[in-house]
Amino acid sequence: MRLSTLMLLGFFLLPSWGSHSLAAPMQQPNAAQIQHSIEKLNVVGRVLYVAAHPDDENTRLLTYLVGERKLTTAYLSLTRGDGGQNLIGREQASLLGMIRTQELLQARRLDGAIQFFTRAKDFGYSKSSKETLKFWGHQKVLADTVWVIRSFRPHVIITRFPEKGKTHGHHLASAQLARQAMQAAADPKKFPQQLKSVKTWKATRLVYNVSTWRLRRRGLLKNKKYLSQFLQLDVGGYNPLLGASYGEIAARSRSMHKSQGFGARSQRGPIREFFAHVAGKKAKKDIMEGVKMTWADVPGAGILARHLEQARRDFRPSDPTTALPALSNAWMALSRLKLTPQILQKRRELEQVMMDCTGLYLDARAKAPAATPGKAVAVTISALNRSKADVSLDFVQTRGMKEPQKVNKKLAKHTPWKSKLQIKIPANTKVSAPSWLAKKGSFGSYAIPNNKVVQRPYDPAPLQVGFNIRIGNVGFLVQRPVQYIWTDRVRGEQARRVEVMPPLTATPQNPMVMFPNNRPQRLSLDVRAATPKVQGKLTLKLPKGWTAKPASIALKFQKYGETQRHSFLLTPPKKGAKGGVAVPVITVGKRSYSWKEHVLNYPHIPVQTILEPASIKIVPLKLKAFSKRVGYIPGSGDFVAEALRQVGVDVRILDNDAVAGGNFKGYHTIITGIRAYNKNSAVRRYHKRLMAWVKQGGTLIVQYNTNSWWRPLRIPVGPYSMTIGRDRVTDETAPVKALNTKHLLLNQPHKIAAADYKGWVQERGLYFAKKWSKEYKPVLQMADPGKKPSQGSLLVAHHGKGAFLYTGISFFRQLPAGVPGAYRLFMNLIAYEQPTK
């Protein structure tokens, strides 16, 4: 029992390059990479890097620690980045969090570090650590951080941010939690329930990785006296085994954060990193000072160190199997040491290196990317020894097998072995919804059942095949996910793991349905089959008083992947209609399902189908109609156009050709999507044509764009001088003041009142205007509690016969969330015309 618990822990502590069950087929490392892995086996030092979000990590440092120092290095991102923006698509919130999770894992594949998380949500920008810890749940996230420290057992902890200063509240909170968790992890009185599975751990020290770009901005990078207070490391070395400098590898790793636009330039030559002491034993020269770095430093492990050194000497790039005898002896020596999660992790790393030396290929694949509860999946398994080494396959096993299937096959060189398995999926099997999304969490954290699963980057593959292999006299179990493999005509061979899906899913066309003036509306769902020849019934669970026609819809599908669109006509109660949630329910046999699906398909991350509980927000509201045509120029991705169509606005998408053509005749208003001037080249190139159209009498609404000193917006967005700043209001309940209560934007066609600012989500707005010329008139004033008010959230300027509006108000969040007041205000913006004198 003790062994199985440790094996489970070891599975979750595997290095990220050894646990990418969502990634493409595993690639065989080359001889230089194998040699580097052998050298790394002898190093036992561990480092944990802690920050708040995906893309906060210092990939230059991670790459150096893994590549040069050969340390087992991990990054703990407290959140999955779900509150960020998206430059590559329209996913927001939890779906964006899934993209950024995979971007982190792809980054770790390149820099070699391990990835951990906590239950904390990225709920958007926070101006204080106090607010952050309140929404995250201070004690729960602290417990998660302590769990990671106790299970990973780092000798050195490094924070990316200071505990105080003017920066994101999430950043400050991450540093505070790291210090608190370091102390609590060593205290048996703190979170004692964890000690049933892990032991207390006392890290040697905690240091703060001082930001070099902040030092550069302050002009301190050449101030030797100031810099002398810090420990320093040059992390810019070149590794001939890896064929790159650490600055080059780090740039490729950082460039995986594509949704955030963090493509990075390679660096070569010296790269200095600086560290300030925070807690523990203060180091004088090196952050790893005083740490037992190799097996030779560990009592009782001297013989293991000698075997690993022998393997390094025996290794020949032209024949990696020459290292196997020494590696086998090292495995035996390692097995004689007291079993701990760290020993188990090293043993798994050693087993992987032994397989790499043989070029052993193990594979399990199915004919479809989905399996359903109660059905069986046909799986083809294969093994191939690509070396002269003595390799045998003893047996295979999988979920549901009463006994392993004996094979007892010696794998001759270059001779493939194949077999078939039937994997029975029990009828009560849970579908492959991300465990942190399966239940509704709070505003600031995911619903996590216990600490043991919180650190996972993702859930283990639901279908796996275990291969019990033997290399020489060493036998061990190797898990492989069941995958679906296909060939893309452009990208070549692609892979995704097989997921357990409900037989039918019901995905709403829109996350909400608006009911202007209580008019009946259609609610449409895309129903997709995850298994052939399936029948069922589709109904809607509605709030009291609401009705749907038809009451139910019979479903019948013949093929896997077949999709049908079905609609209900929803009617609100005649009196006192209140909003709520409509839940689609699909009944197949005796079981009911309410799941929606979204496929993430981007070239830089694995294809994945995300299942979430299906629901549609239904919102009645009083709204005056707008009958004129509106154009929408897409930016980095939002759902504003769809949201406007929900309330009857005639919205036409203007693509780049339409913008280049400049024929905007027939449009009363044109709206640019979020970050359009950052992302859309046509908007930047033909800005003057848009201004000419405004001058002729059009109304142009520009939603927020970003502008910063490190990535400045160098082109105008309006007809007159205006500078976009970084001001924002993160409190969605913050008071909003009208600077001129008689302004048309606040009165026609809707009179905007205090009630219209209720029920907003996440924030009021972001990237407000900071400076503007006299031609612009501010309309609203707002501020977070205790902060200086900002008037840059909504500006209007008259230009010729038309009007230009810039707004940082987060309509891109409020409209898809079905916030009535945001609709009323935005409809005023759309309808605005320059008053006649």
Side-chain angles (χ1 to χ4, degrees):
M1 193 68 181
R2 175 174 171 269
L3 177 62
S4 63
T5 300
L6 288 170
M7 288 183 68
L8 183 62
L9 284 170
F11 178 81
F12 294 133
L13 290 173
L14 278 172
S16 59
W17 63 82
S19 58
H20 279 275
S21 61
L22 292 183
M26 295 185 67
Q27 295 182 355
Q28 169 70 19
N30 59 42
Q33 292 169 326
I34 295 173
Q35 182 176 333
H36 185 270
S37 296
I38 291 175
E39 293 174 357
K40 188 176 181 295
L41 287 173
N42 208 13
V43 180
V44 295
R46 295 181 298 279
V47 176
L48 179 65
Y49 199 89
V50 181
H53 312 106
D55 73 42
D56 284 344
E57 77 273 25
N58 184 342
T59 55
R60 299 181 307 186
L61 179 58
L62 296 181
T63 303
Y64 168 82
L65 293 174
V66 174
E68 184 68 21
R69 304 292 287 270
K70 301 177 180 66
L71 297 161
T72 301
T73 307
Y75 173 45
L76 171 59
S77 176
L78 297 181
T79 76
R80 295 175 183 267
D82 10 31
Q85 309 306 314
N86 187 356
L87 283 182
I88 62 173
R90 302 202 298 175
E91 293 87 355
Q92 295 292 332
S94 59
L95 291 176
L96 177 58
M98 293 299 300
I99 290 175
R100 298 187 72 184
T101 293
Q102 286 301 318
E103 288 179 337
L104 270 178
L105 292 174
Q106 297 309 304
R108 297 297 79 81
R109 292 184 77 197
L110 293 168
D111 60 41
I114 300 168
Q115 186 62 53
F116 295 131
F117 292 99
T118 74
R119 74 187 69 216
K121 279 184 183 178
D122 177 1
F123 56 81
Y125 193 88
S126 175
K127 293 184 177 180
S128 74
S129 58
K130 183 178 180 181
E131 178 193 61
T132 297
L133 293 172
K134 175 185 175 183
F135 287 133
W136 280 353
H138 190 163
Q139 288 303 304
K140 288 184 178 181
V141 176
L142 177 59
D144 293 344
T145 310
V146 169
W147 171 264
V148 171
I149 292 174
R150 284 174 172 172
S151 56
F152 181 62
R153 301 166 80 83
H155 297 100
V156 174
I157 301 172
I158 305 175
T159 61
R160 186 57 175 138
F161 302 104
E163 294 189 42
K164 296 180 181 179
K166 293 183 179 180
T167 185
H168 199 323
H170 295 186
H171 294 168
L172 301 176
S174 71
Q176 295 166 15
L177 284 166
R179 177 179 50 79
Q180 295 165 12
M182 176 189 177
Q183 297 167 351
D187 187 348
K189 295 181 181 179
K190 300 292 186 181
F191 310 108
Q193 69 278 9
Q194 295 182 2
L195 301 181
K196 297 176 182 178
S197 303
V198 292
K199 294 182 178 180
T200 58
W201 178 255
K202 185 176 182 179
T204 302
R205 66 181 55 89
L206 170 66
V207 295
Y208 156 48
N209 182 199
V210 181
S211 169
T212 52
W213 61 266
R214 289 187 185 276
L215 291 173
R216 184 180 298 109
R217 191 181 183 195
R218 294 168 61 191
L220 295 171
L221 270 181
K222 296 182 179 180
N223 188 328
K224 294 183 179 179
K225 183 178 179 181
Y226 181 82
L227 297 178
S228 65
Q229 65 182 300
F230 305 125
L231 289 175
Q232 298 188 28
L233 272 180
D234 178 3
V235 301
Y238 173 79
N239 192 315
L241 289 179
L242 303 178
S245 68
Y246 300 118
E248 292 172 314
I249 298 170
R252 294 199 291 267
S253 172
R254 185 154 186 78
S255 295
M256 284 295 104
H257 297 295
K258 299 184 187 302
S259 66
Q260 305 307 294
F262 275 126
R265 180 183 300 174
S266 295
Q267 290 181 277
R268 300 166 186 87
I271 301 172
R272 288 188 296 172
E273 292 292 342
F274 304 90
F275 305 90
H277 179 76
V278 178
K281 294 180 181 180
K282 189 172 183 178
K284 295 180 180 179
K285 294 183 178 181
D286 185 75
I287 59 172
M288 300 305 294
E289 204 171 279
V291 173
K292 293 179 180 179
M293 292 291 290
T294 68
W295 286 113
D297 301 321
V298 178
I303 189 170
L304 170 60
R306 290 193 292 273
H307 288 315
L308 290 172
E309 174 59 22
Q310 186 65 47
R312 187 190 68 80
R313 290 198 300 264
D314 292 346
F315 179 81
R316 293 209 313 265
S318 61
D319 183 9
T321 62
T322 55
L324 283 176
L327 290 173
S328 297
N329 290 334
W331 190 94
M332 295 296 185
L334 190 59
S335 298
R336 286 191 287 269
L337 296 179
K338 183 180 179 181
L339 195 59
T340 67
Q342 284 65 46
I343 295 292
L344 187 58
Q345 179 188 353
K346 276 295 181 183
R347 196 166 78 186
R348 289 178 180 274
E349 291 178 18
L350 176 53
E351 292 165 357
Q352 183 63 52
V353 171
M354 293 177 70
M355 287 195 297
D356 292 340
C357 286
T358 68
L360 182 62
Y361 178 80
L362 302 172
D363 180 62
R365 59 181 68 182
K367 293 184 178 180
T372 56
K375 298 289 183 72
V377 180
V379 177
T380 300
I381 56 176
S382 60
L384 175 63
N385 175 17
R386 295 180 282 190
S387 74
K388 64 182 181 182
D390 178 15
V391 181
S392 298
L393 178 60
D394 293 342
F395 59 84
V396 294
Q397 60 188 44
T398 189
R399 177 182 182 177
M401 275 188 177
K402 294 182 179 179
E403 293 182 357
Q405 178 178 310
K406 293 182 179 180
V407 178
N408 296 328
K409 175 74 175 178
K410 184 174 181 178
L411 300 177
K413 180 181 178 181
H414 201 52
T415 304
W417 172 89
K418 288 189 177 183
S419 184
K420 295 185 181 296
L421 291 175
Q422 287 285 328
I423 301 180
K424 176 70 175 178
I425 314 294
N428 61 351
T429 301
K430 293 183 178 180
V431 299
S432 300
S435 57
W436 58 94
L437 299 179
K439 293 184 179 180
K440 186 176 181 180
S442 66
F443 174 74
S445 68
Y446 292 112
I448 303 293
N450 57 63
N451 289 330
K452 291 182 181 178
V453 299
V454 73
Q455 70 190 61
R456 294 175 182 168
Y458 52 81
D459 298 315
L463 302 182
Q464 300 186 48
V465 174
F467 296 80
N468 194 277
I469 67 165
R470 187 170 299 277
I471 299 176
N473 60 348
V474 175
F476 50 88
L477 184 68
V478 181
Q479 295 281 355
R480 286 289 184 265
V482 178
Q483 296 190 106
Y484 170 68
I485 311 291
W486 76 101
T487 303
D488 183 276
R489 293 183 64 183
V490 175
R491 294 157 63 183
E493 184 177 82
Q494 301 293 300
R496 58 183 297 184
R497 71 185 194 182
V498 175
E499 305 285 357
V500 176
M501 298 283 289
L504 296 168
T505 57
T507 303
Q509 267 196 288
N510 292 292
M512 51 65 188
V513 179
M514 307 301 291
F515 293 80
N517 309 312
N518 264 26
R519 292 197 308 268
Q521 294 275 58
R522 289 210 165 271
L523 185 156
S524 297
L525 300 153
D526 288 332
V527 181
R528 196 175 84 89
T531 187
K533 297 181 180 180
V534 59
Q535 299 183 34
K537 182 176 70 172
L538 173 64
T539 58
L540 287 178
K541 185 178 179 181
L542 297 169
K544 185 178 180 179
W546 290 71
T547 59
K549 289 185 179 181
S552 65
I553 297 174
L555 304 172
K556 187 175 182 180
F557 294 82
Q558 295 298 322
K559 298 179 180 180
Y560 163 82
E562 183 182 346
T563 302
Q564 299 174 4
R565 179 163 292 175
H566 295 284
S567 296
F568 294 90
L569 183 65
L570 266 59
T571 303
K574 291 183 179 180
K575 294 183 179 180
K578 294 182 179 180
V581 172
V583 177
V585 179
I586 294 177
T587 304
V588 179
K590 296 181 179 180
R591 291 196 65 179
S592 295
Y593 302 89
S594 295
W595 295 98
K596 63 180 179 180
E597 63 175 281
H598 182 90
V599 177
L600 299 178
N601 190 1
Y602 292 99
H604 66 301
I605 60 176
V607 177
Q608 187 180 6
T609 299
I610 308 300
L611 290 176
E612 294 183 276
S615 64
I616 307 97
K617 190 174 183 179
I618 50 178
V619 185
L621 77 165
K622 293 182 178 179
L623 203 68
K624 294 184 179 179
F626 181 76
S627 59
K628 298 179 181 179
R629 184 181 300 173
V630 172
Y632 201 89
I633 303 174
S636 62
D638 58 63
F639 291 91
V640 171
E642 289 89 338
L644 293 174
R645 292 186 184 120
Q646 285 269 320
V647 292
V649 179
D650 180 11
V651 181
R652 312 285 178 90
I653 299 298
L654 299 175
D655 60 18
N656 287 357
D657 290 339
V659 175
N663 182 13
F664 305 129
K665 186 178 180 180
Y667 290 96
H668 176 276
T669 302
I670 293 176
I671 306 165
T672 65
I674 60 174
R675 292 189 176 189
Y677 279 84
N678 300 123
K679 181 76 183 292
N680 192 321
S681 60
V683 174
R684 297 193 297 269
R685 188 178 298 117
Y686 300 109
H687 168 75
K688 291 183 179 180
R689 293 185 182 180
L690 285 168
M691 294 303 106
W693 174 76
V694 171
K695 194 171 185 179
Q696 294 169 5
T699 297
L700 177 65
I701 302 171
V702 173
Q703 297 183 83
Y704 92 88
N705 288 269
T706 63
N707 184 35
S708 61
W709 65 268
W710 66 88
R711 198 172 280 123
L713 184 63
R714 302 185 186 277
I715 55 174
V717 298
Y720 312 111
S721 175
M722 178 184 68
T723 302
I724 297 171
R726 294 181 60 81
D727 281 354
R728 61 181 73 204
V729 174
T730 63
D731 185 347
E732 68 274 18
T733 66
V736 180
K737 178 183 177 182
L739 296 173
N740 177 4
T741 57
K742 296 182 180 179
H743 200 289
L744 288 180
L745 282 171
L746 303 177
N747 288 277
Q748 292 184 6
H750 305 101
K751 186 171 181 62
I752 303 301
D756 290 304
Y757 300 111
K758 293 182 179 180
W760 287 45
V761 298
Q762 186 160 324
E763 62 198 359
R764 289 294 190 197
L766 65 171
Y767 293 100
F768 294 169
K770 180 172 65 174
K771 297 178 182 178
W772 52 84
S773 64
K774 63 181 181 180
E775 288 86 358
Y776 292 98
K777 304 300 178 186
V779 179
L780 299 172
Q781 176 176 292
M782 59 185 73
D784 282 312
K787 302 295 181 178
K788 183 180 178 180
S790 172
Q791 296 184 354
S793 64
L794 178 57
L795 302 180
V796 59
H798 297 153
H799 181 53
K801 298 179 181 179
F804 171 86
L805 291 81
Y806 176 80
T807 180
I809 296 172
S810 60
F811 290 108
F812 75 101
R813 295 196 195 279
Q814 311 309 324
L815 300 187
V819 178
Y823 268 94
R824 289 161 52 83
L825 178 58
F826 201 72
M827 293 292 281
N828 283 13
L829 270 60
I830 292 173
Y832 185 76
E833 296 177 354
Q834 184 181 147
T836 55
K837 296 182 180 179

